[in-house]
Amino acid sequence: MQMKPRVTELSVRMAAVQVLVGIFLYVNCLLIFTFFRKEAFRRDTRYVLFAHVLFADSFMLVLTDLALLLTYFYILVPSGPCIVLCMLMEILTYCTPLTLTAMCLERYVAICMPLRHADISTTRRRLTSMLIIWALSSVPPCIDLIVLLASEPPHFYTEKNICRYEMMLRKQWQSYLRSTLSQFYFLVIAIIIVFTYINIMAAAAAASGNNKSSTKRAQNTIILHTFQLLLCLMQLVCPFIEMAVMEIHIEVFLNLSYFDFLAFILAPRCLSPLVYGLRDEKFFLVLKYYAVCGLNKKQSPLLVVI
């Protein structure tokens, strides 16, 4: 008699998650389509980084949603495929905050060093920055993978387990190292955010007219990115809390996992469309045009120029 309500509750929760994930994937795909439709966006560093975040967020949503479904329905997965899934999720976990940090630096250069912005924001440097982001994102999971490959026998990779990243942490010191690396990344990102915000505030105080308006928008963008980064970085702490709770009560663990998914995985990845997709006038005009499949024939002059 107690299993039926529990199954119904799980079904409702999973259905709600699928609807939310589907909505945000649709929005992200529409934003990505808009980005590729206009060459001006593809030549602008901030829009390129924005598209990079959208790709990473969309991929992350698909993978984490899959992992959540596997956990909630107690589907055991062979360790080999699970390791691949966990590695990708861990890389993408770091990829988003690092890209957002790069976007804050781009705004700092655009506002505080406008004469050098064109020279700094070249295609080659954009590609280099994205390669650096992916390389830095890969460091923590690659360390755990090397330790795992060196310590576990071949039959381990065929054993079936609940697919969670913690299965890769075979040594106690790995948890401490993972925590230390997360804190180090958080500290560096925090320093960069504070540095860019203070300098943009100083530029805002010295600016006037249109420059002041542009600087104010950049300042608000940094604030939104800071909130988004805090939510993303909380995701790095959640697994440690979840594992401690799992040892105490499995029901509380499932509820906590569900909340963490909504608050620290889904929510911060919903802010990217808000920060650039809706607040940016140029991008919003093009997005609005393609959202209605070009049915609105009265194009804004700005849309024609773009």
Side-chain angles (χ1 to χ4, degrees), residues 248-260:
I248 301 172
H249 201 288
I250 189 64
E251 292 293 326
V252 178
F253 163 73
L254 291 174
N255 291 331
L256 182 62
S257 297
Y258 183 75
F259 172 79
D260 289 343

Side-chain angles (χ1 to χ4, degrees), residues 1 5 14 72 106 114 122 134 143 209 215 218 246 271 277 282 293:
M1 293 296 292
M14 289 301 101
Y72 260 81
E106 188 277 333
T122 61
W134 281 94
I143 292 174
T215 307
M246 187 179 183
L271 289 175
K282 289 193 298 182
C293 303

